[in-house]
Amino acid sequence: MSVDAGEPEPRGVGAVEPRDLRFALRAATDAAHRRLDAGFAAHDLSRRADYVRFLSAMRDPFAQIETWLDESDAADLPPDWTARRRSLLLQADLSGLAISAPEVAPAPLPRTLSGAEAPGLLYVLEGSRLGGQVLLRQVLASPDPLVRGNTRFLRHGEGLRLWPSFATWLGTRPAADHADAIRGAQRAFALFEAAQARG
């Protein structure tokens, strides 16, 4: 689940400046990101069982985070937020693979969730789209037509340059909100790590 993959690192050791939220988020979540990637590296997504495990581990955190974001103030979200949602695509792929999972119950907003955490939550979701481009190649190499035919989640946003537009929006977030955004990204990674551990 690569986040911010393929983006250049800032020049020089310790070059991350507090006002550069994107790189601050990357630095704050690096350890969690590496743990998640190591866990998923054990799976061969060309195999149906492994692909189902991957999608299942993504499904509940995506649905929960998207529920939280849907209840956020519109000022805390990119203007095209609804077009970026992917939890329903995850469910459609699982259904297409003949996996009937119960619908995810709406997740109550944590009492401690601040609207300023939304950019951090989104950073994790949007960054996973970049890693998904790499994973898609493995899925499309599958000899299983059901695996190859259920790639809505991984294909979402193809050709739309959603990461650059998100990075531009992220750069407009007030510096006073950066600590909350980092907390949101850490909260998101914790949800994905817990889902990975369960399954």
Side-chain angles (χ1 to χ4, degrees), residues 46-60:
S46 69
R47 296 176 51 218
R48 190 187 307 185
D50 283 3
Y51 186 44
V52 165
R53 274 194 287 274
F54 166 74
L55 292 176
S56 298
M58 294 287 101
R59 177 182 174 266
D60 287 358

Side-chain angles (χ1 to χ4, degrees), residues 138-152:
Q138 192 177 136
V139 173
L140 292 178
S142 174
D144 187 334
L146 271 184
V147 170
R148 297 193 309 272
N150 287 282
T151 57
R152 301 164 189 85

Side-chain angles (χ1 to χ4, degrees), residues 112-186:
T112 58
L113 185 67
S114 155
E117 290 182 53
L121 294 166
L122 280 160
Y123 170 81
V124 178
L125 298 191
E126 290 300 309
S128 72
R129 193 191 310 276
L130 296 172
Q133 295 169 7
V134 175
L135 299 177
L136 179 61
R137 291 196 289 271
Q138 192 177 136
V139 173
L140 292 178
S142 174
D144 187 334
L146 271 184
V147 170
R148 297 193 309 272
N150 287 282
T151 57
R152 301 164 189 85
F153 170 68
L154 292 176
R155 286 184 181 277
H156 183 265
E158 283 184 330
L160 296 181
R161 294 182 53 78
L162 291 176
W163 177 257
S165 64
F166 171 72
T168 298
W169 173 83
L170 196 63
T172 68
R173 299 301 86 201
D177 292 347
H178 287 193
D180 283 342
I182 289 170
R183 186 163 49 250
Q186 291 169 333

